[in-house]
Amino acid sequence: MAQGETFDVVVVGSGAAGAMAALRAADLGLTVLIVEKAHKFGGTSATSGGVMWIPNHRLDGDKGDSREATLTYLDSIIGKPVNRDRLEAFVDEAPKMLRFLKDSGVAVMAAAWPDYFPDKPGARADRSVIVPTFDGRELGDGRYALMREQYNRFKLFGRYAMDLTETFALMMQSKGWRTVAARMIGRYWKDRSTRKVSHRDRRFTQGAALMGATYKQVFARGVELRMETMLEALEVDATGRVFGVEVSNFGRRYRIGARHGVVLAAGGFEWNQALRDRFYPVPGLTRHSSTPEDGNRGEALIAAEKIGASTEHTEQGWWIPTMTLPMPKASNFHEIHQAAFDVGRPWSVVVNRNGVRFCDEACGYDQFGQAMVEDHLKTGANMPCWLIFDAKFRKKFSAGGLMPTVHTAESKVPADWWDHYVFRADTIEELCRKTHLPVEAVSQTVANMNGYAKTGIDPEFGRGMNPYDQMFGDPVSTPNPNIGPIDTPPYYAVPINNGDLGTKGGLRCDARARVLDQSGTPIAGLYAAGNNSGTPFGDVYPGAGATIGPGMTFGYVAANDIAERSGNQRA
């Protein structure tokens, strides 16, 4: 086996957690190598919404958030035992990480996004932080096209990049949305210099903006990035200290030394069916995940377990409802589409296979997935569930990958979709026969929803009766923006799977991001961050960005600890 070189720090994985660990370590004077098994860098983070949940950030001055308010909120929603020191470390270090990111040259701004449990004490609507649009060409033409590209669902017509403001304008068909679309299209085609380099929009938005802006600073500090380089094993000395990694590149295996630390930031295990079967009470299928296909297979978790590492919170994913459709122009292949907000729109309802509701459909997407799991354990009639909607919904909203008629008219829907991926009928009774749902139960559920639409009150689950639900409702629908009568044929149904944004659980770590062995002792030289580690929040998703925020925070914490132990820390 070939012998490799040595760096101060080796980071495994190029997503947000790994990028932050590399940025901070390099800024503190350490030599850093990032290894990434994929052909593109940026990880799952680059395909995401790019939101960071950072409580008490004070970007806009002191507006009342505090350490105490944050912990009050978290204590009110976390439903299982967690490492208190680690939870408090996140609350304390997240604002410091964000200030460092900003000071390093990455623009950040607070977003008006309600916490996912808005009725709980300490909840706020300003803890989610985003990065504004970034010019991808600033990475250099050699890297601009090599950062992982966002999914079609984050682009208009699968081509034109959308920021969050544009996304909501188009999604809600709000006033002036056609002008917004025309401006986006015109801007793209006028950029002739970029079209000579790549089809990709030079406007990096959402997760691409976060990762593009961060990697500009990572590369500016001399960090080396090697793609197509997969972790095979962790190198351990006689004392049990991790001192390097064994990697492979197109079958060639070699070793890379790490003088001061290895940071595992290679994502979760959602694409490893064996690990799903081992950890999840309702395993689900890998192909329902909305993360990059076959990307996060848990190799780093497995490598760490082989040297004695322990795990935590592995029984749950970061759930999100998804649906499946054939890929355009390649019908033998399938594409996964998120339906995070679609399931809570007016003129629709979600039922299990018994034809009854099981949750507030407009709740946070992770709560929706937890409700699917709970209902399936109780009834065996979930996974998938069904989104049922009428022609009014069809005209205005997407249903996973089925775009509204203003985008995809009935005549433009591929013939192989009807009654296999998307079901359509002139009556609820006929729709039930096609989907094998019980007619009487579904008819009663629809009748109930039509009654709730008149009063604006959902006595079963409170749909549309809190700020989070209402943010993604439609003000046209009154008196409740999330409930409207399901009474205009034709009627439609699509199966909804319990997809994910990654895994909640992973390697058990302490407050300094050090990986712990089975006895709770830190494994010297080994750190983990992001979905490679267990979430500090246990079983909940506190708000938008609660995956990336802690991932970057503990990447930052890991780099600080490594630098301190190396004696090279400058700040």
Side-chain angles (χ1 to χ4, degrees):
M1 183 182 300
Q3 295 298 313
E5 64 273 66
T6 298
F7 294 81
D8 290 333
V9 182
V10 175
V11 177
V12 181
S14 66
M20 173 50 70
L23 176 62
R24 181 61 172 171
D27 204 68
L28 293 173
L30 301 172
T31 60
V32 184
L33 169 69
I34 301 174
V35 295
E36 168 58 59
K37 72 177 182 182
H39 292 74
K40 300 286 181 77
F41 70 92
T44 304
S45 305
T47 70
S48 73
V51 184
M52 299 169 278
W53 195 71
I54 310 293
N56 199 27
H57 54 67
R58 299 178 183 250
L59 288 176
D60 301 320
D62 185 358
K63 291 195 173 182
D65 200 5
S66 66
R67 181 182 196 273
E68 293 71 28
T70 303
L71 289 172
T72 295
Y73 173 64
L74 291 171
D75 288 342
S76 73
I77 62 174
I78 293 174
K80 64 177 296 185
V82 298
N83 182 330
R84 185 71 184 187
D85 290 342
R86 182 167 161 81
L87 180 67
E88 294 190 13
F90 164 71
V91 174
D92 293 335
E93 296 297 321
K96 299 176 187 177
M97 179 280 293
L98 190 66
R99 283 195 293 273
F100 166 70
L101 184 66
K102 183 179 179 182
D103 291 345
S104 74
V106 177
V108 295
M109 56 190 291
W113 205 307
D115 287 339
Y116 286 176
F117 298 84
D119 297 329
K120 294 295 185 179
R124 294 179 62 87
D126 60 358
R127 287 172 172 151
S128 295
V129 177
I130 61 174
V131 172
T133 298
F134 174 76
D135 183 352
R137 297 290 295 277
E138 291 185 22
L139 291 174
D141 289 350
R143 291 177 174 137
Y144 146 76
L146 288 175
M147 198 179 85
R148 190 185 288 278
E149 193 166 353
Q150 287 177 305
Y151 298 116
N152 286 340
R153 61 178 172 262
F154 286 115
K155 295 180 284 187
L156 176 63
F157 299 127
R159 183 188 294 269
Y160 311 106
M162 301 185 292
D163 63 27
L164 286 173
T165 300
E166 292 164 339
T167 298
F168 280 107
L170 298 177
M171 185 168 61
M172 299 303 298
Q173 296 181 32
S174 55
K175 185 177 180 180
W177 70 270
R178 295 179 188 275
T179 302
V180 171
R183 188 184 305 122
M184 292 166 57
I185 295 169
R187 184 171 51 206
Y188 175 92
W189 289 109
K190 288 177 182 177
D191 184 13
R192 295 183 178 87
S193 64
T194 300
R195 301 288 70 75
K196 294 178 182 179
V197 177
S198 170
H199 75 281
R200 185 173 187 177
D201 197 326
R202 75 185 298 159
R203 295 176 69 248
F204 281 18
T205 60
Q206 302 185 51
L210 169 65
M211 299 311 294
T214 301
Y215 266 101
K216 179 182 177 181
Q217 303 306 325
V218 167
F219 294 137
R221 286 158 177 76
V223 172
E224 183 178 343
L225 168 67
R226 295 182 191 172
M227 293 176 285
E228 301 96 32
T229 303
M230 184 168 68
L231 176 70
E232 297 287 350
L234 295 166
E235 300 283 309
V236 182
D237 66 18
T239 69
R241 178 183 177 274
V242 174
F243 67 90
V245 296
E246 180 185 327
V247 298
S248 63
N249 168 256
F250 295 111
R252 178 178 66 95
R253 295 170 75 111
Y254 64 101
R255 294 188 176 99
I256 303 170
R259 293 186 190 90
H260 303 303
V262 171
V263 181
L264 300 179
F269 58 82
E270 64 271 15
W271 281 94
N272 186 319
Q273 191 65 50
L275 290 181
R276 294 178 75 103
D277 293 344
R278 170 184 164 191
F279 288 125
Y280 286 168
V282 182
L285 298 177
T286 57
R287 66 175 179 268
H288 295 154
S289 175
S290 71
T291 64
E293 184 174 2
D294 206 28
N296 298 323
R297 299 195 302 261
E299 294 97 339
L301 183 148
I302 293 169
E305 281 195 315
K306 287 181 178 178
I307 65 167
S310 58
T311 60
E312 63 176 353
H313 308 319
T314 50
E315 70 279 2
Q316 293 195 53
W318 299 103
W319 305 124
I320 190 167
T322 63
M323 62 94 70
T324 303
L325 284 176
M327 292 181 65
K329 301 179 181 179
S331 64
N332 288 340
F333 298 89
H334 290 88
E335 193 170 14
I336 298 299
H337 297 270
Q338 294 178 358
F341 311 120
D342 305 342
V343 293
R345 304 291 195 197
W347 314 303
S348 73
V349 68
V350 177
V351 299
N352 65 14
R353 293 194 302 279
N354 292 330
V356 298
R357 299 172 68 207
F358 55 90
C359 71
D360 165 13
E361 298 93 331
C363 67
Y365 37 89
D366 182 66
Q367 295 168 259
F368 188 93
Q370 289 196 29
M372 288 183 69
V373 172
E374 182 180 351
D375 183 67
H376 191 78
L377 290 173
K378 181 171 63 177
T379 68
N382 214 305
M383 314 283 253
C385 55
W386 289 85
L387 170 63
I388 295 173
F389 52 97
D390 73 357
K392 299 189 300 298
F393 179 108
R394 170 84 179 95
K395 181 178 180 180
K396 189 165 188 178
F397 298 119
S398 61
L402 178 67
M403 293 295 102
T405 53
V406 70
H407 175 284
T408 305
E410 299 285 87
S411 61
K412 297 292 182 65
V413 175
D416 60 323
W417 288 17
W418 291 122
D419 295 340
H420 297 282
Y421 301 91
V422 180
F423 296 78
R424 179 180 60 181
D426 290 331
T427 66
I428 291 293
E429 292 75 14
E430 183 185 355
L431 187 69
C432 289
R433 283 191 288 272
K434 287 187 174 184
T435 55
H436 304 288
L437 292 170
V439 173
E440 184 175 346
V442 172
S443 297
Q444 184 60 59
T445 297
V446 169
N448 291 344
M449 293 301 292
N450 292 347
Y452 305 159
K454 293 178 182 178
T455 64
I457 304 298
D458 171 11
E460 294 181 88
F461 300 104
R463 174 169 164 174
M465 299 169 69
N466 68 69
Y468 178 82
D469 287 15
Q470 293 161 10
M471 181 175 180
F472 301 104
D474 189 340
V476 170
S477 177
T478 58
N480 187 320
N482 296 94
I483 304 176
I486 307 164
D487 60 4
T488 306
Y491 299 96
Y492 303 82
V494 297
I496 298 294
N497 296 303
N498 194 21
D500 60 67
L501 300 167
T503 49
K504 271 198 181 90
L507 297 172
R508 184 163 62 118
C509 296
D510 67 7
R512 304 175 83 169
R514 299 177 297 181
V515 176
L516 304 176
D517 66 15
Q518 298 295 332
S519 67
T521 302
I523 298 174
L526 187 62
Y527 299 77
N531 287 349
N532 218 154
S533 61
T535 170
F537 307 130
D539 59 348
V540 299
Y541 201 145
T547 54
I548 292 177
M552 296 187 76
T553 297
F554 284 109
Y556 171 85
V557 167
N560 286 342
D561 195 74
I562 293 169
E564 182 180 352
R565 293 175 189 279
S566 75
N568 289 348
Q569 190 168 13
R570 296 201 311 251

